[in-house]
Every structure is written in structure tokens, then in C-alpha cells.
């Protein structure tokens, strides 16, 4: 796992821009820095040594020196793929990076069909003077790039561009995506002129800087041509076990991010069945006096099963103490509040000398465990016109806020809000920070636009994926899985874990998003994969004899955090007030800020995520001396 960067074109080498870019991402790879420079190409990487620790430094060159690669990620099937390629390629190392290089030389753009892993890489072809870049099909790793003065720049994180003063203009459309949903939709980024590769995309850049694109066909996973599978519970259980085993490949210890939820518990149960508990270390976050805490059940299980669990209490003071690092680390406006917990638990794991952690990410998308899936199902089967919901949301009032972000009332309110949109768009509107009407009234860029213009401006990327998936999936359960896998998961959940982990030199792997596992789940009838939307009963059935009743029978809880307590903490409250009021008048109506702060203080309505998001936006701008030009 690494941070990569590169420059292709007439960049002024004397300004040392590559070194500056690498300096900004040194946290991603503190074990080694490697660089290559030749004519108009510069490649660099910061390495976190996990496989072939002694000999796997980069860049790596082909035997004839035609090709050079910098690689960020892990390839779980690299040993079997290496065996296949040994008759074709003479390997010098035992690293997975060299296997990727050999596979690219042999398979070219079909390399996606042969790799199982998390990756983003760049290959330089010295003969054709062509730069090739690629991102894994599930989008677990990012790669950002932009062109300027006939020069192409790329890096693993956006801060590499603005901290080196190469690109510093804020992408205002992306800011509006952030205030609407809490994250940015690929292929956009927080910076004007900088884009992300799509998941499963390869681009080839020639010496004229013309970009040719190839899109893998493996981005949308679930298809409708299925047959029911005999003994499907054993099939899924074995598939999970195989995915976990594949992702244990490492020359350093592997730990587990453990909550009391079924996804991470299914990984733990699989490890126990493999007799891998004796050296296992697990990590759990919890909060003082909070309903969101899960440590008691986890700690009980660690005693019953005799494995090592570290429980980290995260207090409002901890959040305040780390908030400056949060502003620095989540550089693509990835500030949904769980980023704090993910950052702090990753930092804690790094103090225990862990470089690799497994997570349960992906389970809710595959097995349809979100309350938003229930909402989508209810909305789809409703005979009530969306126009009625548009009327209903006008008469809803704000109840007194109890500090719980997703209270029953809040869920009803969000259901009504989302249902007020047309039958094609409602799945996009369950999750929001500021709704469309709030944006129109209070954010000055959109004052003169109607709601449809605002929706098309902010959600154009999401709508394109929704339409694409709609065409490919007649089965509603497959549609829901595919939509979340290609929007919410890629742009929010996976990006948070990558940033949180790598900010602390920790690689986070997700067995439930293993590409072979997803292909195996694709062979199931969707009614076997998710018989009842929202309950993930299939995981309960599979592991009912492996996990104790106090885990299996625990009511589902989302990965939520007590953000209300964090904002009420006096030092944070003062800081956030100052930050929100530092936002330009041209961006947000200050009378509206008065209103949401007053409502927050008087517990009128749920404004915690609004205040959090605006504060983080302002904190990120101030931290990096960036200007929000309207």
C-alpha cells in the first residue's frame, strides 16, 4: 500500500514539484520513497511495506526497462497469478507490484479480468512514451489527475495538488454536492481541473496528452440472469470464508476492525473457524454514555473467545484535539462525522504496530441492510403520488431535538422528503445534509434557479449512474445493491476508510467487497441474497451456530456517532461558530446561520450534521488557505 504521484509533460523540474507532491502524502507510505525521471516523465511513490517487505520497493521496471510502474494497493491473488505468468515473465522480486506489471504487459486493458485486489497504478511505456493509469473495479483505491499547460499530474490524494500549489481553485459544483449529501460524487473532486478515475477505468495518455479511456465491464456487479442455488446458506458462508482467507495475504500481521454488527462479526467468526484467533488483535470504538457504543458486547465476546480486543473511548475532547488533523486528512471534503471515529481507531491501531486491518464494509450494500433500502421499497410500492408527499413535507414541523441524528421522527421526515421526488429520483434523496429547498433559499449560488435546475446541477453524476443501473436491472433488489455500490459506497464509505487508514499508515481491506466474493454472490437469486429488505437475515442464519445469541439477536444499529455531543463541547462549539461565520457572504446567508445555530442551542429540529458540514468545509478552507470563489 502506497501513495503515488507523477508528472507527464514540460513541468519545470527545478521547482521540484514531484517531491512536493510526495511530501504531502508521506503518511501513506513511511517505509520508503522511490522516484523515476526520464525526459518528460516523473513517477514517485511513498511505500507502506506489506508484501515482500525487503525487496518490494518501487518503482519497478520490466526486464527490458521498457515499462516502469508505481502501484498503490494489494493484489490478493498475486501468488496464483504469478505462477501463471512465470513462463512469460522473469520475476526479480516476490512483490505483488511486479505481478501487476507483468500482467499489464501480457493482458493490457484486459488486466481487470485477472486481478483481485484493491489498487490504483500508473505504468510508463518508454517506447510509446505513453502513461497508463488504472483504478480497481470496485473503487476501493482512488487516483486523481488533472492537466495544466500541456502537463498531466496525478496523485493518490487531492492535497498533493493544492499543497504543492499546482491546483488551488475550489470546484464549486463539488462543494454543493458536499453540502447536499456530505460527500463528492466521482469523477469530480474538491478541486477545479482535478478528476478521479472511475472505478474499473483505465486511461492511456500519449505524448500529445490526449486521453483514451477504457471502462471495465465489472463496475456494476449484480445482474438479473439468476437461478436459485441449492443450499445457498452454506454457499454464502463458504464464500465469505474464502474471501477472508484471500485477504489475509500479508508479510505483516493483520487485525480486524470490530463492532457488534453482523458484517465484522461474520469476518470474526470466519477467522475463528480457520483457527486464526491466537494472534488476532481487534479494535473497537465507543463513546461515553452513548447509545451508539458497542464495546460491551465485543468485550464480552473477546473474553468468551479469548482474543485480544482493544476498545478505544472517543470523547468530545478527543474530537476537539484531533479536529485540525481531520481538516487536513479528509481532503476531498469527506467529512461525514464517522470520519472522526475511523481516523481515531486507525490511529490507535497504528500505535499497536498494525499496518493492515480488515473491515466489514460492503455487507449492507450486498445484503440490503440499510434503512434507506426499506424506504426505497416502501416508496416503490406506494400508490400515493409523489405530489402528495410534496404537500406533506410542507406541513411537517420540527420537533424538539433529542440529540439522536436518526430518530423515528427524523426517519419519517426524510422518507417524506425523499418521496416528494419523482419515481426515477427518490432513491438518491434519503440521505441528505441540506435538502434542495434549503439550498435554494439559503445558498446564494442557487437563489435564482428552480428545483429541477438545482437537482440536475448537483446530482448529475448520480443521476447518470441511476439511469445506467435502471437500464441494466429489472430486479429491484439488484437495482438497490448496484446503486449503492456505485454511488454511496464508492464516494463515501470506501473513501473514508482509505483516508482514515492511510492518514495513519494503515491499510484497510474489505473481504465483503472481494471481487471473487462479489462474483459468487452474483450467482445467487437476489431473493436468496436478501429475502427481506433491511434485516440481513441471511447472515444471522449462516452464523447462528457460530456466534452467541447476544450478538446474533442484537438489533441492527448503523455506524453512527454522537456528533451532537461533540458540537456541544464548549471548545468545539466556539470553534465551529467562528468557522461557520467565516464562510463568504456570497456563499451562505448569514441570517440562515443565525437560525440554525439558534435552533441548535434551543434543541429545535436536527441541525447537527448541517453545522458539522459547514464547520468542516470552513476548517478545510482555513487550514489550507484556500478561497471559496463564488
Amino acid at each position: 500500500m502506497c501513495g503515488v504521484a507523477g508528472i507527464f509533460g514540460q513541468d519545470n523540474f527545478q521547482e521540484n514539484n514531484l517531491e512536493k507532491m510526495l511530501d504531502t502524502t508521506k503518511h501513506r507510505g513511511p517505509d520508503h520513497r522511490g522516484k523515476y525521471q526520464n525526459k518528460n516523465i516523473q513517477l514517485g511513490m511513498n511505500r507502506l511495506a506489506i508484501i515482500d517487505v525487503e525487496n518490494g520497493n518501487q518503482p519497478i521496471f520490466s526486464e527490458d526497462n521498457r515499462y516502469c510502474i508505481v502501484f498503490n494497493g494489494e493484489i490478493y491473488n498475486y501468488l496464483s497469478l504469478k505462477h501463471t505468468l512465470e513462463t512469460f515473465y522473469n520475476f526479480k522480486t516476490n512483490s505483488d507490484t511486479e505481478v501487476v506489471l507483468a500482467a499489464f504487459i501480457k493482458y493490457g486493458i484486459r488486466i481487470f479480468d485477472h486481478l483481485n485486489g484493491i489498487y490504483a497504478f500508473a505504468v510508463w511505456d518508454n517506447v510509446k512514451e505513453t502513461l497508463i493509469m488504472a483504478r480497481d473495479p470496485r473503487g476501493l483505491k482512488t487516483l486523481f489527475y488533472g492537466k495544466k499547460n500541456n502537463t498531466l499530474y496525478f496523485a493518490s490524494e487531492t492535497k498533493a495538488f493544492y499543497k504543492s500549489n499546482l491546483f488551488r481553485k475550489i470546484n464549486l459544483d463539488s462543494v454543493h454536492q458536499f453540502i447536499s449529501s456530505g460527500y463528492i460524487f466521482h469523477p469530480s473532486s474538491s478541486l477545479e481541473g482535478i478528476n478521479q478515475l472511475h472505478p474499473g477505468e483505465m486511461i492511456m495518455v500519449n505524448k500529445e496528452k490526449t486521453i483514451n479511456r477504457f471502462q471495465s465491464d465489472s463496475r456494476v456487479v449484480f445482474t438479473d440472469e439468476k437461478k436459485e442455488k441449492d443450499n445457498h446458506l452454506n454457499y454464502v458462508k463458504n464464500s465469505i470464508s474464502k474471501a477472508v482467507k484471500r485477504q489475509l495475504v500479508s508479510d505483516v500481521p493483520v487485525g480486524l476492525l470490530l463492532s457488534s454488527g453482523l458484517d465484522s462479526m461474520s469476518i470474526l467468526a470466519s477467522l475463528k473457524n480457520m483457527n486464526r484467533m491466537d494472534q488476532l488483535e481487534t479494535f473497537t470504538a465507543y463513546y461515553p454514555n452513548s447509545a451508539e457504543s458497542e464495546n460491551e458486547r465485543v468485550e464480552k465476546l473477546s473474553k468468551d473467545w479469548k482474543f485480544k480486543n482493544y476498545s478505544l473511548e472517543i470523547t468530545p475532547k478527543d474530537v476537539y484535539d484531533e479536529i485540525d488533523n481531520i481538516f487536513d486528512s479528509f481532503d476531498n471534503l469527506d467529512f461525514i462525522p464517522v470520519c472522526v471515529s475511523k481516523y481515531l481507531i486507525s490511529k490507535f491501531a497504528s500505535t499497536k504496530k498494525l499496518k493492515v486491518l480488515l473491515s466489514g464494509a460492503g455487507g449492507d450494500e450486498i445484503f440490503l441492510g440499510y434503512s434507506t433500502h426499506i424506504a426505497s421499497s416502501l416508496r416503490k410500492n406506494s400508490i400515493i403520488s409523489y405530489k402528495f408527499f410534496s404537500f406533506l413535507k410542507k406541513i411537517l414541523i420540527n420537533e424538539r431535538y433529542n440529540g439522536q441524528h436518526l430518530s423515528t421522527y427524523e426517519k419519517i421526515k426524510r422518507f417524506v422528503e425523499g418521496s416528494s421526488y419523482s419515481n426515477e429520483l427518490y432513491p438518491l434523496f434519503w440521505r441528505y445534509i441540506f435538502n434542495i429547498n434549503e439550498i435554494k433559499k439559503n445558498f446564494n449560488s442557487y437563489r435564482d434557479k428552480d428545483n429541477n435546475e438545482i437537482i440536475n446541477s448537483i446530482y448529475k453524476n448520480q443521476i447518470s449512474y441511476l439511469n445506467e443501473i435502471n437500464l441494466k436491472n429489472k430486479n429491484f433488489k439488484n437495482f438497490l445493491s448496484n446503486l449503492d455500490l456505485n454511488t454511496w459506497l464508492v464516494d463515501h464509505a470506501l473513501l473514508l476508510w482509505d483516508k482514515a487508514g492511510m492518514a495513519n499508515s494503515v491499510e484497510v481491506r474489505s473481504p465483503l467487497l472481494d471481487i471473487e466474493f462479489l462474483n459468487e454472490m452474483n450467482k445467487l437469486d437476489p431473493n436468496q441474497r436478501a429475502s427481506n429488505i433491511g434485516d440481513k437475515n441471511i447472515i444471522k442464519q449462516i452464523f447462528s451456530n457460530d456466534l452467541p445469541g447476544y450478538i446474533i439477536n442484537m438489533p441492527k444499529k448503523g455506524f453512527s456517532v454522537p456528533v451532537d455531543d461533540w458540537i456541544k463541547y464548549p471548545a468545539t462549539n466556539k470553534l465551529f461558530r467562528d468557522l461557520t461565520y467565516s464562510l463568504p457572504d456570497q456563499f451562505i446567508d448569514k441570517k440562515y446561520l443565525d437560525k440554525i445555530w439558534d435552533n441548535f442551542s434551543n434543541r429545535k429540529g436536527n441541525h447537527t450534521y448541517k453545522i458539522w458540514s459547514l464547520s468542516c468545509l470552513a476548517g478545510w478552507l482555513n487550514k489550507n488557505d484556500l478561497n471559496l470563489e463564488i
Side-chain angles (χ1 to χ4, degrees), residues 240 262 266 367 536-544 552:
I240 291 174
L262 290 174
S266 70
F367 301 111
K536 280 177 14 189
N537 191 52
I538 186 172
I539 303 297
K540 294 179 182 179
Q541 290 177 286
I542 288 170
F543 292 100
S544 60
I552 285 289

Side-chain angles (χ1 to χ4, degrees), residues 264-280:
S264 61
M265 282 292 173
S266 70
I267 296 172
L268 181 70
S270 299
L271 291 168
K272 185 173 186 290
N273 291 336
M274 295 176 207
N275 297 315
R276 296 292 295 257
M277 304 294 286
D278 54 336
Q279 300 296 318
L280 180 67

Side-chain angles (χ1 to χ4, degrees), residues 183 336 365 370 431 483-484 486-493:
Y183 58 95
I336 287 181
E365 288 79 7
Y370 287 130
R431 307 175 178 110
L483 184 63
D484 270 359
N486 292 290
T487 55
W488 164 263
L489 187 77
V490 169
D491 294 330
H492 162 61

Side-chain angles (χ1 to χ4, degrees), residues 149-171:
N149 300 328
N150 202 36
T151 298
L152 184 137
Y153 301 85
F154 71 87
S156 295
E157 297 184 6
T158 54
K159 66 168 65 73
F161 303 103
Y162 60 73
K163 285 195 172 185
S164 58
N165 292 318
L166 290 167
F167 294 78
R168 291 185 57 83
K169 186 175 181 181
I170 305 302
N171 185 332

Side-chain angles (χ1 to χ4, degrees), residues 8 70 74 120 181 234 247 269 283 321 394 409 483 551 584 597:
F8 179 24
V70 287
E74 304 294 342
S181 293
N234 277 344
Q247 298 207 8
F283 298 85
D321 289 344
K394 293 177 182 178
Y409 175 82
L483 184 63
I551 297 295
W597 272 111

